[in-house]
Amino acid sequence: MATAKAHTNIALVKYWGKRDQDLILPHTDSLSLTLDEFYTTTTVEFDDQIDADAVSINGEPLSGKAYDKVAKFMDLVREMSGKTEFARVTSENYVPTAAGLASSASAFAALAGAASKAAGMELSRRDLSRLARRGSGSATRSIFGGLVEWQRGVDDATSFAEPIEEEVDFGIEMLAILVDTKEKKVSSRFGMQQSVETSPYYKLWPEIVADDMVAMKRAIEDRDVDAMGQIAESNALRMHALTLSAQPGFTYFDADTLAAMDEVKALRENGVSCYFTMDAGPNVKVIYDKKDRQVIYDALAQKFGADRIVVSKPGPGIEIWD
Ligand code: DP6
C-alpha cells in the first residue's frame, strides 16, 4: 500500500495534440506552473481478494469511461511490475470550492506515484513522469513543482518532464476565476484530436510553440513576469483558435469566459500588469506578479464574487509515502 500527493499544473505554453494516442506522445514541448492550492491525494492497495480494480474519488465509486482509464493505467503498472493482483484506489481531490478545476494532471500524477510504489517499483522522478504521461499528457508535468517543461521527445523513453525552477524565487502567481464548475462538454482528449485532424491551422502550431518555448524560457531567466504573461496569453489564444477552426468548430469559452478576459484587459488598460490563460473549459486563470495581487483580486472579486476567485502560489512536486 502507498499514498501519493500531486498538485495540478496550468500550462503557460500549451500541450494540444498527440502524435501517438496510445503512448500519449505530444506533437510539441510544453511548459507549466504547478499550483499550490489544487491537489490530489491517492492511496493504492493491492488486494488478492478482489476480482477487479475498485476506484473511488471523494468517496464516490468511479464508473464508466473515467473508471476504464484508471483500470487501463493499473494494467500498465501490473505489466511493468509483474504484480497480478487488482487494487483498491482511493482518491481525494482537494479544491478550495465545491467544484471546478479538478484535473487529470494531479490525478494521474498521484496515481502513478502511489501505484508504482505499492507495486514495489522505485521509479526515478523522470520515470514517474513518463508513467504519469500514459494516464494523461498534462500529468507528465505534475511530478515536479514550480516551472516545468515537458520535452516531447521522440518515443516513450524520451518524452518526460523536467523542472526548470522547482523553487520559484520570484513573484509569479496565478488566480483562477471559476466562472463555471460543470463537467466540460468536449474532453481535452477529443478536442485536441479534432484540432489535429481537422484544423487547417494545426500545421502552424508546432512552430508557434517552438518560438513560445524559447521566449518563455528567456522570460523566466529574466524573471520577467510581464513577458511570461504576454507569451502565455498569446499562446492560449492561438491554442483556442485551433478549436474554433476545427471541422466542426467548437469552443471551450462561454459568455463568462469572455467577460473575464475583458476584465483582465481592462485592468491592464489601467496600468495593472496581468494576463489570462484558458484550458479545456470555461474557467479563466490570471497570471501576475504577487505585488499586484490585491488590486487584481479586489477588481475580480467585485465583478465575479469572492467565492469564485482562488489565488494560488507556485506549488511543490509529488510526495509519495508508504
Ligand atoms: C489545454 O492532459 O487533459 O490543459 O493527454 O488527452 O489526457 P490527455 O489531455 P490533457 O490535456 C491538457 C490540455 C490543456 C493544455 C495543457 O495542460 O498543456
Side-chain angles (χ1 to χ4, degrees):
M1 169 163 155
T3 302
K5 175 180 178 186
H7 291 250
T8 199
N9 71 80
I10 299 295
L12 301 175
V13 179
K14 307 287 184 196
Y15 145 58
W16 197 247
K18 300 176 185 66
R19 59 196 178 82
D20 185 315
Q21 305 292 322
D22 183 46
L23 291 173
I24 311 201
L25 299 176
H27 274 293
T28 68
D29 297 344
S30 55
L31 191 154
S32 59
L33 181 68
T34 300
L35 298 185
D36 203 28
E37 284 294 315
F38 306 90
Y39 59 93
T40 302
T41 301
T42 297
T43 298
V44 172
E45 184 174 18
F46 286 95
D47 182 345
D48 58 11
Q49 301 299 306
I50 52 178
D51 53 13
D53 293 315
V55 186
S56 78
I57 296 189
N58 295 341
E60 296 288 321
L62 199 63
S63 60
K65 269 194 187 165
Y67 172 86
D68 294 345
K69 266 194 182 180
V70 174
K72 188 171 165 226
F73 188 86
M74 292 305 297
D75 286 342
L76 175 65
V77 171
R78 278 185 284 267
E79 194 184 296
M80 286 170 71
S81 64
K83 262 246 174 273
T84 51
E85 295 94 335
F86 291 103
R88 295 183 194 284
V89 177
T90 316
S91 203
E92 299 285 335
N93 273 325
Y94 291 85
V95 291
T97 55
L101 244 77
S103 158
S104 64
S106 55
F108 278 100
L111 183 61
S116 61
K117 180 140 181 119
M121 291 189 283
E122 289 292 338
L123 298 182
S124 66
R125 299 245 266 166
R126 174 173 294 182
D127 286 341
L128 264 182
S129 159
R130 290 176 47 228
L131 176 60
R133 193 195 76 229
R134 303 289 293 274
S136 181
S138 50
T140 313
R141 300 181 306 240
S142 267
I143 300 300
F144 299 100
L147 290 156
V148 182
E149 172 183 13
W150 174 12
Q151 295 162 356
R152 100 193 129 126
V154 292
D155 55 15
D156 173 46
T158 53
S159 188
F160 49 78
E162 293 219 301
I164 297 176
E165 302 217 357
E166 279 230 84
E167 304 285 334
V168 178
D169 62 2
F170 59 103
I172 189 164
E173 260 185 26
M174 221 180 248
L175 69 74
I177 310 172
L178 305 175
V179 295
D180 185 351
T181 52
K182 289 196 286 292
E183 276 280 300
K184 53 190 165 198
K185 292 187 226 61
V186 182
S187 71
S188 38
R189 188 149 300 183
F190 180 78
M192 69 174 77
Q193 194 53 21
Q194 191 75 356
S195 304
V196 172
E197 284 169 10
T198 67
S199 169
Y201 303 156
Y202 195 81
K203 58 179 179 297
L204 297 172
W205 178 245
E207 261 174 67
I208 290 165
V209 172
D211 289 349
D212 287 348
M213 286 296 293
V214 171
M216 185 63 80
K217 285 194 218 169
R218 190 177 310 133
I220 292 169
E221 251 173 53
D222 294 346
R223 268 82 179 105
D224 188 342
V225 175
D226 193 64
M228 289 174 71
Q230 273 180 42
I231 300 158
E233 184 175 297
S234 128
N235 181 271
L237 287 171
R238 287 172 175 184
M239 179 204 116
H240 287 277
L242 299 173
T243 74
L244 291 167
S245 56
Q247 192 68 266
F250 62 101
T251 185
Y252 292 106
F253 298 175
D254 67 15
D256 286 334
T257 312
L258 298 173
M261 289 158 70
D262 276 348
E263 202 58 33
V264 169
K265 281 193 219 159
L267 274 159
R268 221 147 66 204
E269 276 151 22
N270 287 324
V272 184
S273 171
C274 55
Y275 296 87
F276 54 72
T277 186
M278 288 77 58
D279 294 290
N283 295 324
V284 174
K285 277 74 76 175
V286 183
I287 301 154
Y288 55 90
D289 190 294
K290 66 180 176 209
K291 72 175 163 40
D292 298 318
R293 182 197 304 143
Q294 199 60 47
V295 50
I296 294 167
Y297 180 87
D298 290 347
L300 295 173
Q302 196 187 358
K303 173 94 185 167
F304 298 99
D307 56 335
R308 286 173 178 264
I309 313 287
V310 183
V311 172
S312 186
K313 297 183 173 61
I318 193 168
E319 267 179 73
I320 308 168
W321 63 92
D322 285 321

